């Protein structure tokens, strides 16, 4: 058995506003009783410290389970330029923001096509280090930033602010909508993963 996580990634937050937005959304979630104010040892990755479920955590999820039984059950907030990923498995396909054509990274036997994947991997590294992360689309031959591509099953997302919930039941659409409002109406994607 592994540990599951869901990460709501803000696609619009800038480097400058990420810290303030993170503090605002955390304040709201504490006020709503979704998470606790104090930081405790309850998340994996990052600093290892996060916010455990609050008294009304069940309002955020479908079919709440007794997460108190699990050690890793908190909210971890990440700020700063980050390539968020789903942890396990391989990326399936990515869609170009300019021509909407999909690039697949696997052959029929589901083996990773290194040649197709390598330039994307380099662009992620470049973007994460503060570069443009430009990538040339194999289909239309035009370049764009890797942060503008979309990924099959939301496998990756580039952002400056992410909220990772460890081992929570599936977050409801209504809760995600509320988080988007707290983020000033920014676009978000939600990644599902397992460690
Ligand atoms: Zn293209």
């Amino acid at each position: 058995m592994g540990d599951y996580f869901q990460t709501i990634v803000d696609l619009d937050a800038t480097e400058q506003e990420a810290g303030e937005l993170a503090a605002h959304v955390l304040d709201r979630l504490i006020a709503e009783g979704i998470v606790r104010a104090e930081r405790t040892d309850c998340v994996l990755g990052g600093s290892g410290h996060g916010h455990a479920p609050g008294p009304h955590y069940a309002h955020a999820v479908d079919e709440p389970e007794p997460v108190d039984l699990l050690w890793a059950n908190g909210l971890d907030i990440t700020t700063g330029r980050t390539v968020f990923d789903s942890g396990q498995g391989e990326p399936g396909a990515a869609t170009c923001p300019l021509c909407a054509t999909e690039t697949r990274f696997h052959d029929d036997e589901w083996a990773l096509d290194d040649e197709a994947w390598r330039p994307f991997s380099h662009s992620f590294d470049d973007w994460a280090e503060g570069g443009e992360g430009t990538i040339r689309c194999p289909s239309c031959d035009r370049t764009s930033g890797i942060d503008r591509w979309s990924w099959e099953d939301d496998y990756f997302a580039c952002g400056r602010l992410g909220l990772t919930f460890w081992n929570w039941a599936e977050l409801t659409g209504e809760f995600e909508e509320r988080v988007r409002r707290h983020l000033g109406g920014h676009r978000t994607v939600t990644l599902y993963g397992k460690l």
Side-chain angles (χ1 to χ4, degrees), residues 95-103 136-144 149:
T95 302
C96 171
L98 302 175
C99 71
T101 304
E102 209 176 62
T103 298
R136 183 173 294 280
C137 173
S139 215
C140 67
D141 209 36
R142 287 178 288 175
T143 56
S144 56
W149 285 64

Side-chain angles (χ1 to χ4, degrees), residues 10 13 16-37 51 75 77-79 160-163 165 175 177-186:
D10 182 322
Q16 289 73 25
E17 66 189 355
E20 206 174 305
L21 272 176
H24 174 69
V25 71
L26 179 61
D27 275 353
R28 298 308 312 156
L29 296 182
I30 292 168
E32 291 166 8
I34 303 296
V35 295
R36 295 186 187 279
H51 299 270
L75 163 67
I77 301 185
T78 306
T79 54
R160 280 103 175 159
L161 172 58
L163 287 80
F165 298 85
F175 176 70
E177 182 55 44
R178 210 156 70 225
V179 168
R180 273 195 290 279
R181 276 206 302 279
H182 297 331
L183 295 171
H186 284 177

